[in-house]
Amino acid sequence: MTPDDKTLTESGLAPTASKARILLLACGALAHEILTLVKRNGWDHISLTCLPANLHLYPDRIPAAVEEMVLKHRADYDEIFVVYADCGTGGMLQKKCAELGVEMMQGPHCYSFFEGNDAFAEIAEDECTAFYLTDFLVRQFDAFVWKPMGLDRHPELLEMYFGNYEKLVYQAQTDAPDLDEKARECASRLGLKYERRFTGYGDLASTLEQVAT
């Protein structure tokens, strides 16, 4: 059973299978999507463990946290694959994974690989004033945006943070009207235009298919 979003944000997820050959070490923000792909494809040989999603608030801590988990679980699996993009680590996560001898997702962040890294690269320059949310971040908007930025206490900071943004792009992994409605509300709270873009799982799905074979 997938933990609730609060647990994934603050605590992560323990390995989901004890006799699997491959361990996916992922961000808690990706747990729902990965577990859906594992179930859909019948990947019984794959286990998932997640670091707390709120590590994204402190990206400099991600490489060390990944290293700790790889060393902790390496002896139990034939292969460990790191389901993080660069995620604001400035190349340090890629360097750490190379040192550990494990592979990781390609791309600068999950917005890119959900869109498809090639497709995102083509539109990135035109969307430099776009603020992105995924399914998880729509659900956890207050925990990842509103409260960490202090907007719950100091709404006057809204213009400082978002004055140069023009639109909020909701990259939808699923067709969920309730999330669409909530994403619209998030855009309204930020004073931004709203755009919903169905991405599905993008490069996450194709990459994990390769890992699983």
Side-chain angles (χ1 to χ4, degrees):
M1 180 182 296
T2 305
D4 59 48
D5 288 327
K6 186 175 186 295
T7 301
L8 290 169
T9 295
E10 298 176 358
S11 304
L13 177 69
T16 55
S18 59
K19 297 182 179 180
R21 294 187 293 104
I22 299 173
L23 178 67
L24 302 178
L25 170 54
C27 170
L30 301 174
H32 292 280
E33 289 74 23
I34 294 172
L35 289 173
T36 296
L37 288 169
V38 167
K39 182 178 180 180
R40 178 186 298 171
N41 291 285
W43 292 334
D44 296 333
H45 61 300
I46 285 182
S47 178
L48 171 66
T49 189
C50 293
L51 290 167
N54 62 12
L55 275 177
H56 278 292
L57 300 175
Y58 316 96
D60 58 305
R61 302 178 186 177
I62 294 175
V66 166
E67 179 179 28
E68 180 181 355
M69 293 297 282
V70 169
L71 295 178
K72 177 180 179 180
H73 294 293
R74 169 169 272 161
D76 299 325
Y77 298 90
D78 295 340
E79 179 183 351
I80 295 177
F81 185 81
V82 176
V83 195
Y84 273 88
D86 181 73
C87 299
T89 68
M92 295 306 295
L93 180 57
Q94 184 176 23
K95 180 180 178 181
K96 179 58 67 178
C97 286
E99 292 174 359
L100 293 167
V102 296
E103 295 185 3
M104 62 178 283
M105 287 291 301
Q106 298 298 307
H109 38 61
C110 65
Y111 312 122
S112 179
F113 67 64
F114 274 136
E115 189 83 37
N117 285 319
D118 291 341
F120 190 87
E122 291 180 2
I123 65 173
E125 186 173 345
D126 293 333
E127 291 199 338
C128 60
T129 57
F131 183 74
Y132 297 93
L133 294 179
T134 62
D135 282 11
F136 181 86
L137 290 175
V138 170
R139 296 193 301 267
Q140 289 287 285
F141 180 77
D142 284 342
F144 278 85
V145 180
W146 204 253
K147 291 181 179 179
M149 290 185 170
L151 294 172
D152 57 328
R153 304 179 304 279
H154 301 286
E156 68 274 9
L157 294 175
L158 186 63
E159 177 63 24
M160 179 188 301
Y161 289 139
F162 291 95
N164 292 323
Y165 287 95
E166 295 179 355
K167 65 178 178 179
L168 183 151
V169 177
Y170 166 36
Q171 294 178 315
Q173 282 73 66
T174 56
D175 283 315
D178 59 326
L179 288 183
D180 183 23
E181 182 178 350
K182 184 165 184 177
R184 287 181 183 275
E185 178 188 342
C186 294
S188 177
R189 291 168 68 181
L190 297 177
L192 302 176
K193 297 177 182 177
Y194 177 67
E195 178 181 338
R196 180 187 183 275
R197 186 182 299 157
F198 181 76
T199 65
Y201 300 149
D203 287 352
L204 177 66
S206 56
T207 298
L208 294 188
E209 285 173 5
Q210 294 176 9
V211 172
T213 57

